[in-house]
Amino acid sequence: MTPERNERLTNVLVKRQPGLTVVLENVADPHNISAVMRTCDAVGIQDIYILNSKIENHKKWGAKSSSSAAKWLTVHQFTDAATCFAELRKRFDKIYTTHLSTDAVGLYELDLTQKVALVFGNEHSGCSDEIIGLADGNFIIPQVGIIKSLNISVACAVSVYEAFRQKTIAGHYESARLEPAHMAELRASWGFIEE
């Protein structure tokens, strides 16, 4: 690894945000998952959660969509919602689903500087009732068009870039937020050469 690449990867690690994650519930199209991975990497999300309780686990992601983002992320796969949420509760203070309901709040009303997990559901049926019941609340992305839905990768991008905006204002990208042990583990898995 060249010194320049070492420096670039170090700069990426310093900006990783352990207090923000994305959960994908039964997302069927691996290309959608890969597009989400690329967006997560872009805003500094390290860990993403994939819950496949109604569909088979994916064996690979859409390589063209991810531009190899998967190799830089930590992907947690689950087949049971309760187990997935038990893990999320250990690391995140709030879990919100994207769900159009009477109690849903607008994306811009959420405090995304907290430790937050954002859940995006299946392309056709959205988040399941089980997941909605396990979450702390629902949010919607404000829209003024006729069609009141977005592709999942677009919805995720809009949402995590709002988190990026809030976290930037709050100074979350100014210093390392990963625990030193976690950073060392990622450095090793990314192929860093220690001096």
Side-chain angles (χ1 to χ4, degrees):
M1 180 181 294
T2 65
E4 293 80 14
R5 185 156 177 81
N6 207 327
E7 181 180 357
R8 180 174 177 219
L9 293 180
T10 297
N11 288 337
V12 168
L13 275 176
V14 166
K15 298 201 182 315
R16 286 304 205 219
Q17 299 295 308
L20 179 64
T21 196
V22 164
V23 182
L24 301 177
E25 183 202 7
N26 295 309
V27 173
D29 187 342
H31 295 286
N32 280 337
I33 295 172
S34 292
V36 167
M37 288 179 174
R38 190 172 181 175
T39 301
C40 287
D41 175 62
V43 301
I45 294 173
Q46 179 60 44
D47 294 81
I48 71 165
Y49 294 76
I50 297 176
L51 171 60
N52 290 330
S53 58
K54 295 182 176 133
I55 62 173
E56 293 290 319
N57 273 343
H58 299 284
K59 292 183 175 48
K60 66 181 217 174
W61 323 112
K64 289 182 180 176
S65 300
S66 70
S67 292
S68 302
K71 74 180 181 181
W72 304 109
L73 302 176
T74 306
V75 181
H76 307 271
Q77 289 202 69
F78 293 87
T79 56
D80 176 71
T83 305
C84 179
F85 269 68
E87 287 301 309
L88 291 169
R89 292 285 177 204
K90 292 176 187 175
R91 298 182 59 192
F92 301 96
D93 298 329
K94 296 289 182 183
I95 302 172
Y96 297 111
T97 60
T98 52
H99 177 64
L100 184 58
S101 64
T102 56
D103 64 343
V105 300
L107 170 64
Y108 307 124
E109 296 174 54
L110 297 178
D111 178 1
L112 299 173
T113 63
Q114 302 178 77
K115 293 180 178 179
V116 175
L118 302 176
V119 185
F120 300 87
N122 176 272
E123 293 93 336
H124 304 291
S125 55
C127 291
S128 68
D129 290 340
E130 178 183 20
I131 294 301
I132 293 166
L134 291 170
D136 297 307
N138 308 307
F139 75 96
I140 56 171
I141 297 169
Q143 298 174 55
V144 295
I146 292 173
I147 300 169
K148 295 293 185 187
S149 67
L150 297 169
N151 172 279
I152 184 171
S153 65
V154 174
C156 178
V158 169
S159 302
V160 299
Y161 267 91
E162 171 59 14
F164 178 81
R165 185 190 72 80
Q166 290 184 26
K167 286 176 169 294
T168 299
I169 292 168
H172 289 200
Y173 291 90
E174 293 173 11
S175 60
R177 301 190 73 79
L178 290 172
E179 294 292 330
H182 190 193
M183 189 175 285
E185 178 184 309
L186 289 171
R187 288 176 68 85
S189 70
W190 288 10
F192 275 89
I193 297 171
E194 301 298 341
E195 299 174 1

